[in-house]
Amino acid sequence: MTHRLSRSLLVAGLFASAVAAQAQLNPPVDIGSQLMITDLRVVEDPIRTNPRNGPQATWTFKYLIENMAGNQNPSDFVLRWLQTWERDQLVNGHVAAARPSIRQLVIDPWLKASGGVRLDLTKAPFKLLAIVNRMDLRVHEGTQVYTGGEGRFVFGVLGPDGKPLPPLAGDAAGGFTVIFEYELVATTTDQLRDWAQRWAGLGRFSVGSPDYLRALEGVTRRFTDRGQAPGKANGNALNQIRSNELALGAPWELREFTLTPTGLRPNPVAVTPDILALNGTPALAQLINDNETALLAGTFLLSESNEGASALAGPFRLSDFPNSSNRTFTAIDLVAPFYDVPWSAAGIRNNDARQAFALNTCGGCHRTETGAAFLQIGFPKGNQLPLRLGQPAALAGFLTGVTVPDPVVPTTSRSFADLKRRQEDFSALLGKLGPTTSSTTVMLPRHMPNFVH
């Protein structure tokens, strides 16, 4: 009995030591240093965020563009991208209407500051707000890994005065953000583990310390530098660029762009249909009813043929919708003649299925479903620009934690805390993958998120 007890204690002790060792390798996941990095010592680091520092300025709009432009002149590459707003864009059979004010608000002031001939990327009116770990967007099953998720850079667009370009309406500090969303290329569990341990390893250092900044630069350059994705356009790992603005026109609009060998091309907006064509129609009710089980299970995939040219998030005039008198959506009064118009239609059987559909669209996530006033990540209201931010980026309640009424059934409350969800997900991933030195074949559960927020 004593021998058996001693052996049991020994095994328990070894197990406890292994757990303790793993805990040291993977300390508790910290949102601010490993997932949503907005600390001013990072986003305003005088070396990596100053475009005049050349190749050392690895967290600047200039550096990222130069590494995705391939053989093209980076200034011309950017200008062609910005000019897409100046004319209607036909994408996937739908139209993203021109917003020509980008010329007077962004292009011309930037050209003027550059001497009038070619855009000077050291004067780019894009202010870094956040660096984001989105390994929760990874896709894997068993030993097969399809992608490690994304790493993101969030920029706010500045006006000619060096202050946030304001929205056409509302009290948000800025009205235009752009997100560079890069793939964390991984096709094996070892590569997935490497990404996870690199992000997790940031937790060993004090945020903003020289060691932390070097480690974070090491992570980001593995997905931003040219040559990191040989199989993709220009060898760049960019998945897409997404814009989010109510500065160039109304209503509030989100667009998506993908990288091709010749430039950034308007792309259908992921998992988001054309709201003006579909909302409030029998077709929307049928789409949600036919896919009710999948929507409630989180396995619904919107056909790419249904994706729109842009995501409009309101506020809307009812006249924005063709045949508006025949629409059966819920219209929520704002200031006349404007309404919030969530995804809705007569005949939808299950409001939870409706909410699941709406939340996964760009417009739904950024508007009535989550109670977002404008942006999920934006300029702080008390910023001290044009000199400095003064405070970290403002984060919406959807990220930090909020409870809001359902826009169609207000007696139902919905709670969100997406950063906590990401924290729990990343912690669980680290536990499943085990230490870097592990030689054990890892069988991972199926993980295929159907959202892009």
Side-chain angles (χ1 to χ4, degrees):
M1 177 66 73
T2 302
H3 174 72
R4 289 179 180 175
L5 180 60
S6 297
R7 182 172 180 177
S8 297
L9 290 172
L10 175 62
V11 170
L14 291 173
F15 177 76
S17 297
V19 171
Q22 184 61 29
Q24 283 188 331
L25 284 170
N26 297 320
V29 172
D30 177 68
I31 291 172
S33 64
Q34 297 167 307
L35 298 178
M36 176 65 69
I37 304 164
T38 61
D39 192 288
L40 298 184
R41 291 167 293 182
V42 176
V43 300
E44 294 189 331
D45 171 62
I47 297 174
R48 296 166 182 85
T49 69
N50 184 346
R52 292 177 179 80
N53 285 333
Q56 297 183 80
T58 53
W59 297 338
T60 60
F61 179 88
K62 176 179 183 290
Y63 183 90
L64 301 183
I65 289 294
E66 289 174 342
N67 278 273
M68 73 174 67
N71 295 325
Q72 302 164 73
N73 180 281
S75 297
D76 297 339
F77 176 91
V78 171
L79 180 60
R80 287 195 299 272
W81 169 54
L82 295 176
Q83 288 172 333
T84 62
W85 271 277
E86 292 192 281
R87 54 192 179 277
D88 290 353
Q89 299 293 321
L90 181 64
V91 183
N92 206 27
H94 300 273
V95 174
R99 296 201 166 196
S101 62
I102 195 166
R103 170 64 61 173
Q104 69 182 78
L105 294 176
V106 179
I107 297 175
D108 283 349
W110 188 359
L111 276 172
K112 182 178 180 181
S114 304
V117 177
R118 172 171 279 167
L119 297 177
D120 181 348
L121 295 187
T122 67
K123 300 180 185 296
F126 291 81
K127 178 70 174 177
L128 181 62
L129 299 176
I131 299 173
V132 189
N133 166 9
R134 293 305 308 271
M135 287 199 72
D136 62 301
L137 298 177
R138 69 192 182 277
V139 177
H140 55 65
E141 184 172 16
T143 58
Q144 182 63 59
V145 176
Y146 299 93
T147 178
E150 291 184 346
R152 296 180 174 180
F153 281 76
V154 182
F155 293 94
V157 182
L158 303 172
D161 57 0
K163 298 179 181 179
L165 194 64
L168 291 179
D171 63 352
F176 195 168
T177 61
V178 173
I179 307 180
F180 288 31
E181 302 178 343
Y182 294 87
E183 181 181 6
L184 305 179
V185 177
T187 57
T188 69
T189 53
D190 283 344
Q191 291 172 340
L192 186 68
R193 181 188 291 110
D194 182 64
W195 279 117
Q197 292 292 349
R198 286 175 182 272
W199 285 108
L202 298 174
R204 297 196 302 268
F205 311 112
S206 174
V207 178
S209 68
D211 286 339
Y212 179 89
L213 296 170
R214 281 192 292 269
L216 179 58
E217 180 182 357
V219 175
T220 61
R221 292 189 63 180
R222 283 176 59 84
F223 60 80
T224 63
D225 284 10
R226 69 186 71 201
Q228 294 295 341
K232 302 181 77 167
N234 298 341
N236 191 270
L238 187 77
N239 274 346
Q240 59 274 323
I241 289 176
R242 289 196 287 169
S243 64
N244 187 348
E245 56 83 16
L246 185 57
L248 305 179
W252 178 5
E253 183 184 59
L254 301 96
R255 297 192 183 194
E256 185 171 313
F257 304 84
T258 52
L259 181 63
T260 73
T262 57
L264 290 165
R265 178 185 64 191
N267 199 56
V269 180
V271 302
T272 304
D274 184 330
I275 194 170
L276 298 184
L278 187 62
N279 201 14
T281 67
L284 175 62
Q286 182 176 352
L287 176 65
I288 293 174
N289 290 339
D290 288 351
N291 294 281
E292 179 180 327
T293 300
L295 283 164
L296 295 176
T299 59
F300 171 70
L301 288 173
L302 181 72
S303 168
E304 291 183 2
S305 63
N306 287 331
E307 294 175 340
S310 66
L312 300 178
F316 296 101
R317 296 180 177 89
L318 296 186
S319 58
D320 291 335
F321 295 86
N323 303 313
S324 60
S325 61
N326 296 327
R327 302 298 181 105
T328 58
F329 45 56
T330 297
I332 302 169
D333 284 314
L334 293 174
V335 178
F338 295 102
Y339 296 83
D340 273 338
V341 185
W343 286 102
S344 50
I348 295 175
R349 292 191 302 259
N350 189 318
N351 187 55
D352 288 339
R354 181 212 66 80
Q355 188 266 347
F357 171 85
L359 180 64
N360 284 348
T361 66
C362 288
C365 178
H366 281 264
R367 191 65 176 170
T368 51
E369 301 301 329
T370 64
F374 182 68
L375 300 167
Q376 301 292 6
I377 304 171
F379 286 103
K381 287 189 177 180
N383 68 77
Q384 299 169 20
L385 292 168
L387 298 177
R388 61 186 68 86
L389 283 174
Q391 301 178 53
L395 304 181
F398 170 73
L399 296 172
T400 60
V402 70
T403 298
V404 297
D406 182 280
V408 175
V409 183
T411 54
T412 298
S413 294
R414 311 279 186 187
S415 295
F416 306 98
D418 207 60
L419 287 176
K420 186 175 188 297
R421 178 194 64 79
R422 298 179 200 178
Q423 181 186 43
E424 293 170 349
D425 175 84
F426 191 51
S427 180
L429 174 65
L430 292 169
K432 291 183 179 77
L433 289 171
T436 307
T437 55
S438 173
S439 60
T440 304
T441 299
V442 178
M443 294 292 293
L444 294 169
R446 178 180 172 83
H447 189 276
M448 190 179 72
N450 297 322
F451 51 80
V452 294
H453 54 249

